[in-house]
Amino acid sequence: MYSEVVVKDILETAIDSLVDNFARQPYIHRCEHSIHCELYSMLAVHRALQGIYPLKDGIGRSTTLIHKEWPETIPQPEKVGRRGNFDLAILDPVDVPQHTVEDFSAGRIRPAFVVEMGLNYDLNHLTNDDAKLTNSACPHSYLVHLWQPHKGIRDADRTA
C-alpha cells in the first residue's frame, strides 16, 4: 500500500545505502547511469512501489510508479520552453488515474518524488541540478552527487 511517509522512508534509506556502498566501493559503477540503475533496483523491490496503475484511458493503459528520465514539471526559464529530465521520479498512484496516456507520454504527471544524480561533475553541474529541482517544485526532491577518489578535487571544481 502506497503511503507518502513510507515511500519517503524507502527512498531516503535507499539513497543512504547507495552512498554507503559508493563510499566503500567507489568503482563498482563506471558511469552515472549505472548508479541510477542501482537506485532504481533498490526501490523496485519494495511492495509500496510495485504494481501497475491505470491511466484515465482505461484498460491496457497503465504504468508503474518508478520512472527514469521523467520530464521536468516546469521548463527552466533559460531553456526557452524545453524541459530537461529528472534522473529518477516516483509518481503518486492517486495522481496516475487522473491523467491520459497523452499526459503520461508527455510527462505531464507531477511526480511526488524526484532525484537528480551526478558522478564526477563540477560544481556547475551540481548547481544546475539544484536549480532544476528548485524550479520544478516537486514535493520531495533529492540531489545526490558523488565523486570518485581518482578524480581528485581541483580548486576549479569547487568554485565553478
Side-chain angles (χ1 to χ4, degrees), residues 1 6-7 10-11 13-14 17 36-51 64-66 88 90:
M1 175 93 165
V6 169
V7 172
I10 289 169
L11 178 57
T13 299
S17 181
H36 298 175
C37 292
E38 181 178 356
L39 182 59
Y40 187 103
S41 296
M42 289 174 163
L43 297 172
V45 299
H46 291 277
R47 181 165 292 195
L49 295 171
Q50 294 174 346
T64 60
L65 300 180
I66 309 168
L88 191 125
I90 300 173

Side-chain angles (χ1 to χ4, degrees), residues 45-109:
V45 299
H46 291 277
R47 181 165 292 195
L49 295 171
Q50 294 174 346
I52 304 294
Y53 297 86
L55 293 161
K56 191 175 192 176
D57 305 300
I59 297 173
R61 296 188 178 202
S62 302
T63 188
T64 60
L65 300 180
I66 309 168
H67 294 273
K68 259 219 24 75
E69 300 302 323
W70 190 264
E72 290 177 80
T73 55
I74 302 167
Q76 294 179 62
E78 66 275 9
K79 295 205 175 181
V80 194
R82 290 181 313 117
R83 294 185 298 161
N85 291 320
F86 297 118
D87 292 329
L88 191 125
I90 300 173
L91 304 179
D92 184 327
V94 172
D95 291 339
V96 173
Q98 309 306 313
H99 294 275
T100 65
V101 72
E102 288 79 18
D103 293 335
F104 169 78
S105 295
R108 288 191 295 261
I109 303 172

